[in-house]
Amino acid sequence: MLILNEIVNIWSVVLLLIALGTISFTHYSYRWRNPKCKNGKLPPGSMGLPLIGETIQFLIPSYSLDTPPFIKKRVARYGKLFKTSLAGKKMVLTTDPEISNYVFMEEGKSVHLWYMDSFDNFLGAALINSTATAYAHKYLKNLFLNHVGNESLKDKLFHKIELMANEALSSWSTQLSVEVKECTAIMIIELVLKELLSYDSTKSTHNLVQMLSEFIKGIINIPLNVPGTTFHRCMKNQKKVLELMKDILRERQNSTEERKGDFVDQLIDDVKKEEFMSEELAAVLMIAIVFASFETVSTAFRVAMMFLTDQQAPMVMKELLREHQTIINNRENADFPLTWQEYKSMTFTPQVINETLRLTNGIPGIVRKATKDVHINGYVIPKGWIIMVVQTAIHMNPDKFKDPLSFNPWRWNNIGSNIIGKSFIPFGGGKRNCAGTEFTKVLMSVFFHVLVTKFSWTKVKGGQAVRWPGLSVKDGFHVKISKKKTI
């Protein structure tokens, strides 16, 4: 009888603990699904499961360049401003150009730059913490503009970019096929390493493209640093790339050779004179300029060539070739290199680039973090919440861009400055407009000039766009490059 009573008592305790656990979890789940806002009303939306939120639904791939179904369904149900939870963070997403512009203009007031946790960890605390002040923000933008801004592009990089394009395309033409994003990424990384970091990539045994691509895959995932996860691979690559950049920096610091006046030399000088700068931050900035240079551009090249290869693209190709052939025909010598004046004279090529960038949207969105309560359209976004501007939805808005899924460069003939300013944001908005904007445009324009006048290509395989919610292409996009016969 005593043993039976003890068993009953044990089970009573177990059942009590289960009951308390159930009540506690139910209460936590209710609070998770119904977050409070002390100073107003939260935007409508759903928070999904505790901790996980709606991350799984967000990551479901969509085989189209269009706005992902995750966004479309919630906009239809809640409107263009809605709450959710992704990668363990409470968020508000917006697809409204006016709200997005307001968020951009609030930077430094009620919001500040924020990266996904995986991005924070990849770049390290050095960059995130150092950019907390307005002075550091201005310094970093000027640093990049000094080396990839208009003057530097015009005086130092322009002809080197054309030479790079000629050499790369000639090399690709000797191969059975090339994957467009992969080969253009390698081309750009080698250019940046050579011209901005004065580094010979053939010395390295590391595959920078692969390591940085792994980072892209890990950026939106839950930051679970466990072997086998995408985030774990992301962090392993972060350590390798960071050490490689530190090695380059130290080698240059200890070198007795003449200064090169490049990005690395400026970092070395600034480590000595800027209080917030350190060797760690300098190495992180070296990663940042390599990453910022290749990822967006190589993705855009892939999308552009997919559309230019499409059966409906002959008119685009005809006009693109006409513009670049006219430039050559107007020269005293057809073999002269492209000039800055000729680049600035292009009118149709910038439209092709704009249309490509509108359709590309290689990142899930542009994110900011609320540093105080943000009041928008009668709602409140609480301090500490994340705000994501969904570029894809803004760029695919049929009210702003008629027949948005069509590749139509001519649409840019009649688009007003207000739409371009608020509804076309491939390089961000407000104070955070990307310092590499002109670099991207120059690189793509020069590459197209060489490609269409000297080479042709045919599709080999691939070309199925996938939003995951960033942009990838199933099986890549493989083409055969051929030199045009000269008469």
Side-chain angles (χ1 to χ4, degrees):
M1 190 68 180
L2 183 61
I3 294 175
L4 182 61
N5 286 336
E6 287 181 0
I7 292 174
V8 170
N9 289 335
I10 291 172
W11 270 106
S12 297
V13 172
V14 170
L15 290 173
L16 178 62
L17 291 174
I18 291 173
L20 290 174
T22 302
I23 293 170
S24 178
F25 181 76
T26 302
H27 178 66
Y28 176 76
S29 296
Y30 177 81
R31 290 184 60 186
W32 175 269
R33 292 176 179 272
N34 300 275
K36 300 293 183 181
C37 182
K38 296 179 181 179
N39 301 318
K41 182 180 178 183
L42 284 168
S46 57
M47 303 302 288
L49 298 171
L51 299 180
I52 296 173
E54 297 185 311
T55 308
I56 295 173
Q57 299 97 308
F58 185 67
L59 293 175
I60 293 174
S62 169
Y63 293 91
S64 168
L65 284 170
D66 200 1
T67 306
F70 176 89
I71 303 296
K72 280 189 169 184
K73 289 177 182 177
R74 282 153 184 78
V75 169
R77 184 173 182 180
Y78 304 117
K80 294 183 178 181
L81 184 74
F82 60 90
K83 68 176 181 285
T84 184
S85 175
L86 303 173
K89 298 294 182 181
K90 294 177 180 178
M91 292 189 173
V92 169
L93 274 60
T94 179
T95 65
D96 185 276
E98 296 296 333
I99 293 176
S100 302
N101 187 62
Y102 175 79
V103 170
F104 292 143
M105 299 309 295
E106 279 295 296
E107 184 159 343
K109 301 174 186 177
S110 61
V111 305
H112 68 71
L113 182 67
W114 185 81
Y115 302 100
M116 301 300 287
D117 285 346
S118 50
F119 206 0
D120 283 10
N121 284 281
F122 183 83
L123 293 177
L127 178 58
I128 308 305
N129 295 338
S130 70
T131 55
T133 67
Y135 174 76
H137 284 163
K138 185 177 180 180
Y139 162 80
L140 290 172
K141 186 164 187 176
N142 288 338
L143 175 67
F144 284 94
L145 286 175
N146 284 344
H147 297 277
V148 295
N150 266 4
E151 292 304 312
S152 180
L153 284 166
K154 180 180 178 181
D155 299 333
K156 299 178 182 178
L157 294 176
F158 191 74
H159 292 304
K160 292 176 180 178
I161 290 173
E162 184 178 13
L163 181 63
M164 169 205 71
N166 272 296
E167 290 178 347
L169 285 162
S170 293
S171 174
W172 303 342
S173 70
T174 65
Q175 301 176 44
L176 292 176
S177 69
V178 294
E179 201 291 306
V180 176
K181 184 178 189 297
E182 180 180 322
C183 63
T184 52
I186 293 171
M187 174 186 73
I188 298 164
I189 286 176
E190 288 179 347
L191 173 75
V192 172
L193 289 175
K194 182 179 179 181
E195 301 301 334
L196 300 185
L197 307 185
S198 301
Y199 179 75
D200 183 357
S201 61
T202 59
K203 294 180 180 178
S204 176
T205 57
H206 299 294
N207 187 333
L208 274 174
V209 177
Q210 182 180 349
M211 288 188 287
L212 290 169
S213 294
E214 287 293 337
F215 158 62
I216 291 295
K217 294 175 184 177
I219 189 172
I220 194 62
N221 279 272
I222 296 173
L224 185 63
N225 199 0
V226 175
T229 63
T230 301
F231 183 73
H232 181 72
R233 290 193 297 273
C234 170
M235 292 310 299
K236 284 179 67 176
N237 288 323
Q238 184 264 0
K239 292 177 181 178
K240 292 178 183 177
V241 177
L242 190 61
E243 284 306 312
L244 173 61
M245 295 304 170
K246 285 181 180 178
D247 288 343
I248 296 173
L249 192 65
R250 289 164 185 159
E251 183 179 330
R252 290 285 293 280
Q253 285 174 322
N254 298 326
S255 175
T256 57
E257 295 181 4
E258 184 179 350
R259 286 171 56 88
K260 303 177 187 297
D262 60 4
F263 190 76
V264 178
D265 275 344
Q266 185 172 348
L267 288 175
I268 291 170
D269 290 342
D270 292 344
V271 166
K272 298 174 184 176
K273 66 182 182 181
E274 298 287 353
E275 290 186 7
F276 65 88
M277 279 290 287
S278 63
E279 183 185 87
E280 182 86 5
L281 176 56
V284 167
L285 291 175
M286 290 164 68
I287 296 175
I289 197 168
V290 174
F291 173 75
S293 300
F294 92 87
E295 178 56 30
T296 300
V297 186
S298 59
T299 301
F301 274 137
R302 177 195 266 169
V303 172
M305 290 190 71
M306 282 166 53
F307 276 107
L308 293 174
T309 310
D310 190 82
Q311 292 180 352
Q312 300 177 4
M315 292 300 294
V316 179
M317 275 299 301
K318 182 178 179 180
E319 183 61 20
L320 194 62
L321 179 57
R322 184 203 63 77
E323 175 163 274
H324 288 279
Q325 195 59 53
T326 299
I327 288 173
I328 292 174
N329 293 342
N330 287 338
R331 294 174 184 162
E332 291 183 12
N333 186 329
D335 294 328
F336 282 170
L338 188 69
T339 67
W340 186 259
Q341 290 73 26
E342 289 170 341
Y343 157 67
K344 299 301 283 186
S345 74
M346 297 175 190
T347 55
F348 187 68
T349 303
Q351 293 175 355
V352 171
I353 292 171
N354 279 353
E355 187 70 344
T356 299
L357 293 173
R358 182 186 70 83
L359 288 160
T360 301
N361 304 305
I363 59 175
I366 304 169
V367 286
R368 300 290 186 265
K369 186 173 185 177
T371 54
K372 59 178 71 171
D373 287 354
V374 180
H375 297 261
I376 300 179
N377 284 19
Y379 297 109
V380 175
I381 302 173
K383 176 182 178 181
W385 279 50
I386 308 303
I387 307 170
M388 178 184 288
V389 173
V390 186
Q391 287 170 297
T392 306
I394 293 174
H395 289 176
M396 295 296 174
N397 185 346
D399 295 332
K400 305 296 182 182
F401 302 101
K402 185 179 178 181
D403 193 11
L405 280 174
S406 68
F407 184 70
N408 178 16
W410 288 277
R411 76 169 77 244
W412 296 92
N413 285 326
N414 304 310
I415 290 182
S417 58
N418 185 56
I419 290 180
I420 292 177
K422 296 180 180 179
S423 295
F424 181 57
I425 49 174
F427 301 106
K431 300 175 184 178
R432 277 282 165 184
N433 199 40
C434 178
T437 300
E438 193 64 26
F439 175 79
T440 299
K441 293 178 179 178
V442 168
L443 189 56
M444 293 188 71
S445 298
V446 174
F447 184 85
F448 281 141
H449 176 75
V450 177
L451 176 66
V452 301
T453 58
K454 296 182 179 181
F455 298 86
S456 61
W457 71 93
T458 53
K459 174 182 172 180
V460 175
K461 67 173 182 177
Q464 172 64 63
V466 183
R467 291 222 177 268
W468 53 270
L471 179 65
S472 62
V473 175
K474 185 179 179 181
D475 299 324
F477 186 64
H478 301 257
V479 297
K480 168 59 182 171
I481 304 286
S482 303
K483 282 188 177 182
K484 287 185 176 180
K485 293 181 180 179
T486 56
I487 300 174

